Amino acid sequence: MAEAIAKHAYTGGAHAPVKKATFELFARPTAKTGLVGWLTTVDHKKIGMLYGGFAIFFFLVGGLEALLIRTQLIVPNNHFLEAQTYNELFTMHGTTMIFLAVMPLNAAFFNLLIPLQVGARDVAFPRLNSFSLWVWVVGAILLNVGWLSHFVPAWKFGGAPSVGWFGYAPLTSKAFTPQLSTDLWVFGLQVLGLSSIVASLNFIVTIINMRAPGLTMMRLPVFTWMALVTSFLLILALPAIAIALVEVMFDRNFGTNFFEVSGGGQPILWQHLFWVFGHPEVYILILPPMGYVSEILPTFSRKPLFGYPIIVFSGVAIGFIGFGVWSHHMFTTGLGNVATAAFALATMAIAVPTGVKIFNWIGTLWGGQIMTRVPMMFALGFIWMFMLGGFSGIMHSAAPADAQQQDSYFVIAHFHYVLIGGATFALLAAIHYWFPKFFGRMVPEFWGKLSFWLIFIGFNCTFFPMHFLGLNGMPRRTWTYDSNMGWNEGNLVASCGAYLLGLGIFTYFAVLIWSFFKGKVAGNDPWDGRTMEWSIPSPPPEHNFAAIPTVHARDAWWYEKHHQEEIAQERAEHIQAEESHGGIHMPDQSWYPIIAAFGLLIGTYNMAQLHHPVEMFNKVIFATHLPLAITGLCILVTACYLWSLEGPGGYHLHIAPDGKVTESRGDH
Amino acid sequence: MTRTRPAYRKFFRFAPAFLAGLGLVLLTSCNKVHQVFSLSGPQSTMVTDGPVAARQWDLFMITVYVTTFIFIVVGAVLAYAQIKFRAKSEADEKSEPPHQGHGNPLIEIGLIAASVALLVIIAIPTVRDIWYTHDVPDEEKGNALDVTATGYQWWFQFKYDTEMVKLPAGGETPLVTGNELVVPAGRPIRVQVRTVDVIHSFWVPKLAGKVDMMPNRANFLWFKADRPGYYYGQCAEYCGESHAIMRFRVIALAQPDYDKWLANQKQPARSVTAKSLAAAASVPRVQFASMKLESGAALSGSPEFDANPLAAWHKQQDVEKDEDPALVAKGRQLFSDKTCVSCHSIRGHEGIGVTGPDLTRVGSRSTVAAGVLENTPQLLGEWLRRPNHYKPGNKMWFGGFKVQDTQGEWQPNPKLSELSDAEINALVSYLHSLK
């Protein structure tokens, strides 16, 4: 359809280039493919794919870490791994899955979908978007670089971080973990937080300011709504952990006493700061998946979302209440009865908006024509599994009962039902659902369904027994256990399930790779979709929309499909109007975001080592890390400065009636 | 576009039935399955032996009943919708779309109200039990025993705040033991939980839920053992390298047994003289079957021990028959020479240290290394020979505090790593004489 619409308007011809009035150290690259094209891209779709690619890589790394953990626990008193290695693995499994897999996968979909769903040509700040991607890469490197010491003993990072993903003080103090890995963990998380805040501000501005005509807030697709709520949660929650991380950094490097017990510090302060971030973080992970499911269920039920306003409001309510339940992670720390009771009741309260979503999803199915394609199977799996995870969450809200479950395998079962059965199932549904849109090819149904069943069965075999292991007294984060505790069989089943789950995940991604090359070519709208991204070609052109659409209803594309003549005329007018303003304006690529991120990498990597020099490459060149840290900081500041002098830049696209796109450069 | 319906779909149509059938077959025929679901292990929260743990379990079951009810109702509706509204054929999928309904406020508000009502069923006993489990009930306060549990990386120190012992040099101090908390059954125990380093957590699942040992916070918990027993506990907050094997035991005794134990504990450390030497006939202790020292497996209790741990604990209180006074004396000398004394206390003998567990009656404990190894002479020797193998990162191996040298490596304590077999033998004899 979009091609047909594009035929309606054409004014062509390149405009004469005008002398540039801005300063450029690096000329703005124009290559759209190849290494330079990808490194300097500002296209939200390419950035989204880079986020997605890196995130899937780390998802597989985190999965491998989980399989090593399960292999260690397959029999009692196993010596497959050493205690310290095991501690590094569970620390990095948690950190990786949260910060380097699920969050960036969500960020990938934010990038890919928000501009398409709001009818925009890019995000509000394209270069800032590129910056947040590369800053994220810096954080990922800092967190994982410690693994190198397992392969090259001379590089004394002290292994990967081993303080737990929650890094409870005072275990992070220099007295108990003198290793450099803890400093790298602190800097890595700090840098990842920076990336998320920058990206979130970008998405908030995009969603609020760049909506197509007629796209009122109550017509916004639910995924975009959840992305908006998530972005607000990120910018409000991340400062709490940023403060806490700065305090740990000061304690470790400059002798302050925020958490140093001997100096009167209060380790409980870390827990409050961490969970004020950490609990909204849970919703940061799960709200976007609720968004994917709220898009997929209506499509495959051929029916609008049931109770759209209530779904949206319950998402917002979850965002608000999510800031008031953090201490349910701390029921055993001696909060006092009144605080414990208050947080227990608030935790029960947050179950209500979550339950409401499940009711509405069932309402969406009711009376529909359910087509059990692979994305729909994952979405239905999500509802079932997320429901079970929600129930064990309600069990935890009963604080005295939680005193038995806290830090036991019951908790592991609970949050894996939420984060795999919930978030990951929804992400796998989303990848399968939007794959044809962004790669233009379909994934075969048979292999998709096979991977679904492997994942579904493997997941339940792994984590269902853990409920019973926890009730039978098995604590978390334990590298080994004795054979007389009654935990042998449950662990054996869980480990076998984990291998099956791993096989399912392998199948899932192997099929995606195959489909990328050999899959059946997908049309614009293979699923009979309801939102705007299905109105444009697959894969979408760089300018997304030949004409900015006008939105007439909540399911904008569904409405257009059923009112084609009205829309075609309206669109032709829009194309003409835009061409008379000089064509479609596109942002220029830029080197500065990635250079600034590179400066941040050099700076933070060396700052972390100021007090623990690691003798590696720089042994000969630099006696100390201080000059390098300063150099990195200078690169960062200079790049940001030059970035601001670079000017907006940009070029114009002109769409011929036959759909051919020509490019022109110059001022207008 | 027509979509073919391959044969594999037949399998998936029957997949739920197939899975249910498989589950039933497993449940009924495989005699291992009952073990998978045998949930009465020594740290089970389901088989409780005290009022606090019982309350916590009962509250948990209320949440299970409520959520199971919701699951049955919501699950049934969801399953019905999935089956009933499934497109049965290609034609269905291509037919006119169904009614594009947007919702029903009345149903939605009704469901919200129902959810709130169900949560109130959980909320009321939750609030009641928060107060009950917090502290000893008023009417029992007078009868309560106060102890202080202190977490160290990676063992527990127990101090009986009101049970004073006389120091050989004059003055008195509260009775201190390590890794085994002996309490009278039937009396409420109020445990002050403290830590000297990082956060630990005190958890004896059969008696009470956990409370964290927070630096700079005066946390406490209480429990009561309904009957004499041998209870397993474990640190439940990640506390560093050997967190997994930071274990302890609670031994509940009938009041007369407890009094007898307490009276013995209050004596200075036992000295072995030639006179106390019984018949020299060597009685080998039971070797336990699952011991695999060379493969490097850590060790669980012997079958005899596991069969009746409380009886095994009682047996451990008896003086060993094959004591050799000369060997014991040599061990006592080594205990000083090898600087053990700087970290361990042996009240009445040489030890003065406070970094490691008090060893005044170490021979009478049922485990060494905080619940990792059964306290047999052989395993105590193993522990002295390779402590870092059984408890990686422990301070004994690294000579007090674990500190990095200039190369970033941790160096073992040479006093320990260079012990000969004969020296270990003597040390074990000495430590096992401390009953």
Side-chain angles (χ1 to χ4, degrees):
Chain A
M1 165 157 286
E3 297 93 317
I5 294 164
K7 286 179 187 162
H8 283 273
Y10 174 70
T11 54
H15 296 251
V18 178
K19 186 171 159 283
K20 291 190 181 76
T22 52
F23 173 75
E24 283 182 358
L25 182 66
F26 294 98
R28 303 190 76 153
T30 52
K32 287 185 182 158
T33 54
L35 187 63
V36 172
W38 282 92
L39 291 180
T40 63
T41 186
V42 293
D43 182 345
H44 71 98
K45 297 175 289 297
K46 284 186 182 168
I47 291 176
M49 283 177 199
L50 286 172
Y51 261 119
F54 289 137
I56 288 169
F57 170 75
F58 279 109
F59 180 71
L60 298 177
V61 169
L64 184 67
E65 287 160 359
L67 288 181
L68 290 171
I69 288 171
R70 284 313 324 166
T71 305
Q72 163 66 15
L73 294 178
I74 193 166
V75 291
N77 290 326
N78 200 357
H79 274 255
F80 172 69
L81 296 171
E82 288 179 2
Q84 187 60 20
T85 312
Y86 182 90
N87 295 343
E88 290 167 22
L89 282 169
F90 77 68
T91 299
M92 286 309 292
H93 170 69
T95 309
T96 301
M97 285 305 195
I98 289 167
F99 293 100
L100 306 182
V102 176
M103 279 175 81
L105 265 177
N106 286 333
F109 279 106
F110 287 10
N111 264 297
L112 292 171
L113 291 176
I114 287 174
L116 299 185
Q117 290 200 335
V118 302
R121 295 224 160 89
D122 207 322
V123 293
F125 308 112
R127 282 177 294 172
L128 203 59
N129 201 17
S130 160
F131 181 68
S132 45
L133 166 72
W134 296 114
V135 168
W136 179 86
V137 172
V138 170
I141 292 172
L142 290 175
L143 281 175
N144 280 285
V145 71
W147 288 121
L148 290 178
S149 16
H150 285 273
F151 305 108
V152 187
W155 296 350
K156 296 195 175 75
F157 293 109
S162 60
V163 291
W165 88 276
F166 47 93
Y168 273 4
L171 190 60
T172 49
S173 108
K174 230 172 165 176
F176 304 110
T177 46
Q179 297 97 318
L180 173 64
S181 59
T182 308
D183 296 275
L184 288 168
W185 178 80
V186 168
F187 277 93
L189 285 195
Q190 192 72 279
V191 167
L192 289 175
L194 173 69
S195 160
S196 291
I197 289 179
V198 170
S200 300
L201 290 168
N202 210 341
F203 294 129
I204 290 171
V205 176
T206 306
I207 294 170
I208 291 183
N209 288 338
M210 297 180 67
R211 280 169 291 133
L215 184 54
T216 61
M217 289 308 273
M218 289 314 278
R219 283 179 182 169
L220 213 53
V222 173
F223 165 72
T224 303
W225 248 116
M226 292 305 116
L228 181 66
V229 175
T230 304
S231 300
F232 273 109
L233 288 183
L234 277 164
I235 59 170
L236 294 173
L238 281 165
I241 195 177
I243 291 165
L245 288 168
V246 165
E247 289 175 352
V248 174
M249 183 186 86
F250 272 53
D251 275 6
R252 287 180 70 85
N253 293 321
F254 308 121
T256 56
N257 291 306
F258 292 103
F259 309 119
E260 289 295 333
V261 180
S262 55
Q266 280 290 4
I268 191 87
L269 173 67
W270 166 271
Q271 296 195 17
H272 281 292
L273 287 171
F274 183 82
W275 289 115
V276 164
F277 149 79
H279 199 77
E281 172 70 20
V282 173
Y283 296 105
I284 288 163
L285 298 175
I286 198 69
L287 283 174
M290 289 174 166
Y292 310 134
V293 170
S294 301
E295 301 287 321
I296 291 167
L297 291 173
T299 298
F300 294 100
S301 306
R302 306 188 72 203
K303 181 171 172 289
L305 193 62
F306 186 86
Y308 170 96
I310 295 209
I311 290 231
V312 168
F313 285 131
S314 60
V316 177
I318 288 172
F320 274 104
I321 308 173
F323 275 100
V325 297
W326 79 88
S327 283
H328 69 207
H329 297 269
M330 301 164 58
F331 279 152
T332 61
T333 59
L335 293 168
N337 289 351
V338 175
T340 302
F343 282 103
L345 297 180
T347 305
M348 291 173 196
I350 206 166
V352 175
T354 315
V356 163
K357 293 204 168 208
I358 290 179
F359 299 146
N360 281 285
W361 289 325
I362 297 174
T364 307
L365 299 175
W366 198 271
Q369 285 163 354
I370 300 171
M371 306 189 284
T372 43
R373 302 289 188 276
V374 178
M376 186 63 165
M377 294 179 79
F378 275 107
L380 291 170
F382 165 92
I383 301 181
W384 283 101
M385 295 300 105
F386 186 67
M387 191 157 60
L388 293 183
F391 289 147
S392 49
I394 292 174
M395 293 171 190
H396 291 144
S397 72
D402 181 67
Q404 292 281 23
Q405 289 141 23
Q406 159 91 10
D407 276 333
S408 78
Y409 264 72
F410 193 88
V411 174
I412 300 196
H414 158 68
F415 70 74
H416 281 93
Y417 266 83
V418 175
L419 291 179
I420 297 184
T424 306
F425 270 46
L427 277 164
L428 296 178
I431 291 171
H432 210 285
Y433 181 60
W434 278 292
F435 186 89
K437 175 48 62 190
F438 292 100
F439 296 102
R441 288 179 186 273
M442 302 296 289
V443 186
E445 282 283 301
F446 171 82
W447 292 100
K449 284 183 177 167
L450 181 70
S451 64
F452 169 79
W453 283 111
L454 286 174
I455 291 169
F456 186 82
I457 295 167
F459 163 71
N460 280 292
C461 285
T462 311
F463 294 102
F464 203 74
M466 289 189 189
H467 291 110
F468 297 102
L469 283 173
L471 293 175
N472 207 358
M474 181 164 173
R476 293 172 74 174
R477 300 164 187 139
T478 48
W479 135 78
T480 189
Y481 56 95
D482 254 352
S483 57
N484 61 345
M485 303 303 282
W487 304 333
N488 303 359
E489 293 83 2
N491 275 298
L492 180 63
V493 173
S495 291
C496 294
Y499 299 133
L500 195 61
L501 178 58
L503 183 67
I505 296 285
F506 172 79
T507 312
Y508 182 94
F509 285 107
V511 177
L512 282 195
I513 292 169
W514 182 88
S515 309
F516 177 79
F517 294 106
K518 303 266 176 152
K520 197 156 69 73
V521 173
N524 292 359
D525 186 14
W527 309 117
D528 196 10
R530 310 178 72 88
T531 40
M532 216 97 76
E533 68 271 22
W534 302 107
S535 68
I536 57 176
S538 308
E542 61 167 322
H543 52 278
N544 295 348
F545 297 95
I548 297 295
T550 299
V551 175
H552 297 274
R554 200 169 276 157
D555 287 339
W557 171 235
W558 183 268
Y559 178 89
E560 289 187 11
K561 280 191 281 194
H562 294 88
H563 299 79
Q564 295 191 13
E565 284 179 18
E566 172 195 340
I567 297 294
Q569 183 166 357
E570 186 179 272
R571 195 149 291 177
E573 286 163 13
H574 285 190
I575 291 182
Q576 270 164 359
E578 194 151 20
E579 194 52 49
S580 67
H581 287 94
I584 299 169
H585 181 253
M586 298 300 296
D588 257 336
Q589 285 160 238
S590 174
W591 278 106
Y592 293 117
I594 191 169
I595 292 171
F598 177 73
L600 191 66
L601 173 64
I602 301 297
T604 49
Y605 175 78
N606 288 290
M607 269 167 77
Q609 299 184 41
L610 287 182
H611 295 263
H612 317 255
V614 170
E615 291 175 353
M616 215 169 85
F617 313 114
N618 39 11
K619 185 176 184 179
V620 187
I621 310 167
F622 289 100
T624 159
H625 288 266
L626 189 61
L628 270 175
I630 294 172
T631 309
L633 194 69
C634 289
I635 296 174
L636 172 66
V637 172
T638 314
C640 290
Y641 188 67
L642 293 176
W643 171 351
S644 66
L645 287 182
E646 195 177 34
Y651 56 94
H652 288 84
L653 295 179
H654 310 277
I655 298 166
D658 61 356
K660 195 165 169 285
V661 180
T662 50
E663 199 177 303
S664 71
R665 295 194 158 267
D667 292 343
H668 300 283
Chain B
M1 183 183 89
T2 52
R3 215 159 45 80
T4 52
R5 288 179 167 270
Y8 70 81
R9 286 183 62 97
K10 274 185 191 152
F11 167 74
F12 287 109
R13 195 174 307 148
F14 295 110
F18 175 74
L19 287 175
L22 188 69
L24 269 177
V25 169
L26 277 172
L27 275 171
T28 49
S29 68
C30 173
N31 61 4
K32 273 280 178 188
V33 168
H34 77 275
Q35 287 178 10
V36 175
F37 295 104
S38 106
L39 299 165
S40 53
Q43 279 181 201
S44 178
T45 65
M46 303 164 139
V47 186
T48 59
D49 260 338
V52 176
R55 277 290 190 101
Q56 288 165 332
W57 177 248
D58 292 345
L59 177 63
F60 177 75
M61 285 314 290
I62 293 175
T63 67
V64 171
Y65 295 139
V66 171
T67 53
T68 306
F69 170 75
I70 303 174
F71 181 69
I72 290 171
V73 174
V74 178
V77 176
L78 175 55
Y80 177 80
Q82 263 182 256
I83 296 164
K84 163 86 178 159
F85 299 109
R86 187 167 172 170
K88 308 284 187 306
S89 61
E90 292 288 320
D92 272 5
E93 294 186 356
K94 297 291 155 207
S95 66
E96 199 53 23
H99 172 64
Q100 301 288 300
H102 281 279
N104 184 331
L106 212 61
I107 292 180
E108 290 163 45
I109 290 165
L111 285 169
I112 292 173
S115 322
V116 172
L118 285 167
L119 286 171
V120 169
I121 299 176
I122 298 175
I124 292 169
T126 296
V127 173
R128 184 197 64 199
D129 287 350
I130 287 172
W131 264 264
Y132 178 78
T133 55
H134 178 68
D135 201 356
V136 184
D138 284 341
E139 63 275 16
E140 292 192 75
K141 275 210 170 101
N143 192 28
L145 174 69
D146 282 297
V147 296
T148 301
T150 306
Y152 289 67
Q153 278 180 326
W154 295 278
W155 60 281
F156 290 87
Q157 183 206 64
F158 298 112
K159 190 160 74 180
Y160 293 74
D161 300 302
T162 53
E163 302 294 348
M164 307 307 278
V165 293
K166 292 204 167 50
L167 288 170
E172 55 178 24
T173 181
L175 173 66
V176 169
T177 68
N179 298 325
E180 286 187 3
L181 176 61
V182 180
V183 296
R187 266 176 76 185
I189 315 294
R190 200 166 184 276
V191 188
Q192 297 287 338
V193 290
R194 301 287 183 271
T195 173
V196 296
D197 38 50
V198 300
I199 303 171
H200 304 281
S201 194
F202 181 96
W203 189 29
V204 196
K206 283 177 173 255
L207 298 176
K210 63 189 75 62
V211 171
D212 293 350
M213 300 165 142
M214 299 287 299
N216 282 350
R217 278 181 86 80
N219 285 351
F220 63 89
L221 76 151
W222 78 281
F223 66 83
K224 184 162 76 176
D226 287 338
R227 59 188 74 85
Y230 185 93
Y231 300 102
Y232 285 67
Q234 187 158 2
C235 173
E237 183 60 82
Y238 175 60
C239 55
E241 191 168 356
S242 276
H243 159 64
I245 40 181
M246 178 172 169
R247 300 169 186 158
F248 68 103
R249 305 285 191 266
V250 173
I251 293 110
L253 300 175
Q255 189 71 41
D257 286 345
Y258 173 73
D259 292 339
K260 195 177 132 203
W261 173 87
L262 193 62
N264 184 42
Q265 290 287 316
K266 287 183 174 181
Q267 300 299 317
R270 176 175 165 267
S271 294
V272 178
T273 59
K275 252 189 275 178
S276 73
L277 178 62
S282 171
V283 183
R285 284 181 66 88
V286 176
Q287 301 281 314
F288 69 102
S290 67
M291 190 184 298
K292 285 181 223 142
L293 298 182
E294 286 318 308
S295 76
L299 303 157
S300 47
S302 57
E304 291 76 12
F305 189 96
D306 288 343
N308 191 343
L310 189 60
W313 182 87
H314 277 294
K315 196 177 158 205
Q316 191 81 28
Q317 309 304 306
D318 301 337
V319 171
E320 279 162 36
K321 294 194 181 71
D322 53 350
E323 278 177 336
D324 174 355
L327 201 57
V328 169
K330 188 183 163 206
R332 183 169 169 178
Q333 186 61 43
L334 281 166
F335 195 77
S336 291
D337 293 351
K338 296 295 176 184
T339 69
C340 310
V341 286
S342 53
C343 291
H344 294 285
S345 278
I346 297 180
R347 188 162 29 88
H349 289 185
E350 289 77 13
I352 49 162
V354 292
T355 309
D358 182 289
L359 299 180
T360 308
R361 292 216 150 41
V362 64
S364 67
R365 294 184 197 148
S366 52
T367 69
V368 284
V372 176
L373 299 170
E374 190 182 350
N375 191 5
T376 62
Q378 186 191 8
L379 291 177
L380 180 57
E382 262 299 304
W383 166 240
L384 293 178
R385 189 172 287 117
R386 301 198 295 164
N388 203 45
H389 177 78
Y390 294 106
K391 185 155 279 189
N394 76 86
K395 286 171 192 148
M396 183 159 86
W397 182 244
F398 291 103
F401 281 94
K402 191 178 172 185
V403 283
Q404 280 173 301
D405 66 12
T406 52
Q407 296 301 306
E409 302 288 353
W410 287 302
Q411 296 302 336
N413 173 8
K415 296 278 188 199
L416 195 64
S417 56
E418 289 161 11
L419 283 179
S420 70
D421 284 356
E423 288 170 329
I424 286 176
N425 204 16
L427 275 169
V428 168
S429 289
Y430 171 57
L431 293 172
H432 263 254
S433 76
L434 299 170
K435 294 279 188 177

